[in-house]
Amino acid sequence: MREPVELRRRRILAVVRSRGAVKVSALAAELDVSVVTVRRDIEELARAGRLRRGHGVVRPVGAVEEVTVPAPRAGEPGRDGGPVALVVPERHSYLYEVAYGARPVLEEAGMRIALHIAPQAPGVEQPLVEAALAAGARGLLIAPRWRDAVSETADYGWLSEVAVPTVLMERRPRPGSALHALDSVCSDHWYGTYLAVDHLFALGHRRIVLAARDDSPTARSVRRAFAEIAAARPEVEDWSVVLSSPDAMPGPDHDDGARLGEAARDRAPLDLAALLAERRATAAVLHGDVDALMLVQRLAEQGVRVPRDCSVVAYDDVMAALGSTPLTAVSPPKAEVGRAAAELLLHRLARPLGAAGPVRRIELLPTLRVRGSTQPPVSRPTPTEN
C-alpha cells in the first residue's frame, strides 16, 4: 500500500527540522520514493511556508547556517555539552511521530538534535550510537527495532553501558534484565488492547480475531494482552490470535506465549478474510493500520461490508482515519511518549555529574478513537423448519 501524501510530507518536515538542512536526493533515498515525488512535496510545503528550498537542498523555515541560542541558566542543560542523539528505525512512521514529539522539548531547552535512522538490519543501532558518542553526543533517546527476543537481548549489554544519560522510547525491557533499571517511557499497550476488546464487547461482539504482527515489542505486547483479556471473558464465544500478514514475524523460532492460530504456528501465508468467515467472527482487531486498511479492501472484494458484516479496529492510528471507511483505532500517545522521554532526559542532564537519582519508568495510556468501522453485529436470521 502506497504511503499517504500527508504522512510522507510530515516525515519530510520531521527530518528537515531535526537536521537543519538536507539534500533532496538524500530525502528521496531515505523515504524510498523518487526524487520527482520529493521535489513535488517540497514545492507544496514551501508554498505553504513550512520549509525553505535551496539548490538541491531543503531547510526548515527560519534556518540559517549557524544558529545562535541564548546561553542556558546555571544548572540547566544546554548546547555546550553537545547534541542529543535521537535513534529510530527507518521507515517506521509510528516511531517518527514519537521522535517528532521529542523535538520541540529539546529545542526549547536549547539542545541540538542529531537524528540517526537505523537501517532494517540486525545490530545496526550499536555502531550508530558509538559514532554519535564519538561526535560528542551528551544524551541518547533511542527506540531500538527489536524484531525478536534474540535481537533485544543482544542489545542489553552495550546499551546498559552507554556512558551518557539514556532514555528508551516506546520500549520496555524484560523484568530483571540489564536494562530493567534504565529510564524509559512507553505506552500501556495492555490498556490499549483492553480498550479495543471492551469496545467490541460493549457493541455485542462475541467472536473476535486479533490479527497482529509478531516482529516488534509493541506487537508482542498486543498479542499477549489480547490473549489474556479474551480468555478472562467467559462470555466470548470464540477468539484467536493470528498473523496479520505473511511477513509480520521475525522468524520461526519466536514464541510469545499467545494462543496462535494454525496459520501463525506454521508460518504460512494467511487468508485473513477466509479465516474470519471460517470462524464466523463478527469483529477483528489488527496491528497495525496498513494491515487493517488492506483487510477492509479484501473484505470489500469478497462482498463483506465493514462495519455491517464485520467490525474492524486498527491498532496504532497513524493512518487509520484515511481509509475509504475511516477506522476505529487504538491511538497510543506517540508524540506524548517522545515529549515525556525528552523531558526525562533533560531532567537527567540537569543533575550534577555523577548524580544518579531514582530510575523512572513512565507509562502513558492510549485512547480509543471511534470512527465508522465498528457497529453492533447484525443478527442473522435462524433458518425456519419446513
Side-chain angles (χ1 to χ4, degrees):
M1 181 176 178
R2 184 175 296 175
E3 181 180 43
V5 173
E6 178 185 345
L7 177 61
R8 187 177 63 244
R9 290 177 180 173
R10 196 188 313 171
R11 291 174 59 193
I12 290 173
L13 287 171
V15 173
V16 172
R17 288 169 176 169
S18 296
R19 299 181 189 174
V22 186
K23 289 184 177 180
V24 174
S25 57
L27 267 177
E30 187 165 310
L31 272 62
D32 195 26
V33 296
S34 69
V35 173
V36 172
T37 297
V38 171
R39 283 176 178 162
R40 189 184 306 120
D41 290 337
I42 289 171
E43 288 176 3
E44 291 299 322
L45 291 169
R47 189 176 295 115
R50 304 177 72 183
L51 50 72
R52 297 167 52 213
R53 288 183 296 166
H55 184 64
V57 176
V58 60
R59 295 181 175 84
V61 174
V64 294
E65 291 303 318
E66 294 294 334
V67 179
T68 301
V69 177
R73 293 187 295 271
E76 290 186 345
R79 294 184 60 173
D80 57 325
V84 166
L86 182 57
V87 180
V88 293
E90 71 168 324
R91 302 179 191 174
H92 202 307
S93 54
Y94 180 108
L95 289 175
Y96 287 170
E97 290 200 23
V98 173
Y100 192 75
R103 182 187 63 85
V105 175
L106 297 172
E107 289 183 345
E108 288 172 10
M111 300 291 293
R112 288 182 294 124
I113 303 165
L115 178 64
H116 301 269
I117 308 296
Q120 298 186 52
V124 296
E125 284 92 355
Q126 183 175 1
L128 281 179
V129 171
E130 290 174 349
L133 295 179
R138 65 175 307 191
L140 173 64
L141 294 175
I142 184 169
R145 189 178 295 274
W146 285 353
R147 285 177 58 84
D148 55 24
V150 173
S151 61
E152 179 177 337
T153 303
D155 284 342
Y156 282 179
W158 69 267
L159 258 178
S160 66
E161 297 176 356
V162 171
V164 298
T166 300
V167 179
L168 284 174
M169 302 185 300
E170 204 60 286
R171 297 292 182 256
R172 185 72 77 221
R174 288 200 312 275
S177 68
L179 294 185
H180 187 107
L182 187 68
D183 288 329
S184 61
V185 181
C186 189
S187 299
D188 184 344
H189 295 299
W190 186 97
Y191 183 72
T193 307
Y194 169 81
L195 289 176
V197 175
D198 191 64
H199 172 66
L200 292 171
F201 192 80
L203 290 174
H205 295 279
R206 298 295 183 268
R207 307 182 71 86
I208 307 171
V209 168
L210 170 74
R213 306 189 65 82
D214 193 19
D215 59 358
S216 75
T218 297
R220 293 189 286 275
S221 295
V222 170
R223 294 168 72 89
R224 286 191 295 268
F226 182 88
E228 177 185 334
I229 293 164
R233 292 200 184 238
E235 305 94 330
V236 174
E237 297 174 17
D238 185 75
W239 63 270
S240 58
V241 178
V242 299
L243 286 176
S244 53
S245 66
D247 64 345
M249 72 287 191
D253 58 345
H254 177 73
D255 181 12
D256 64 8
R259 175 182 167 190
L260 301 179
E262 197 65 36
R265 286 199 298 267
D266 293 343
R267 303 302 183 187
L270 174 69
D271 185 343
L272 183 54
L275 184 137
L276 292 172
E278 176 188 336
R279 303 195 76 97
R280 295 184 294 118
T282 62
V285 181
L286 277 93
H287 176 272
D289 291 358
V290 171
D291 290 327
L293 291 166
M294 292 182 69
L295 172 64
V296 173
Q297 292 177 189
R298 288 197 297 271
L299 291 174
E301 291 167 359
Q302 299 180 19
V304 179
R305 294 161 294 182
V306 174
R308 187 181 187 279
D309 301 321
C310 182
S311 288
V312 175
V313 177
Y315 198 105
D316 273 358
D317 200 32
V318 174
M319 58 185 75
L322 303 179
S324 55
T325 299
L327 301 183
T328 294
V330 176
S331 184
K334 300 172 281 293
E336 288 78 6
V337 166
R339 281 193 283 272
E343 290 168 355
L344 182 50
L345 182 63
L346 290 176
H347 171 78
R348 286 290 180 197
L349 291 171
R351 298 178 68 87
L353 186 64
V359 172
R360 302 186 180 189
R361 308 182 79 204
I362 300 172
E363 206 161 53
L364 305 179
L365 299 186
T367 57
L368 182 73
R369 296 182 178 176
V370 179
R371 301 188 180 104
S373 65
T374 52
Q375 70 170 43
V378 175
S379 299
R380 294 178 172 83
T382 303
T384 56
E385 295 182 2
N386 293 329

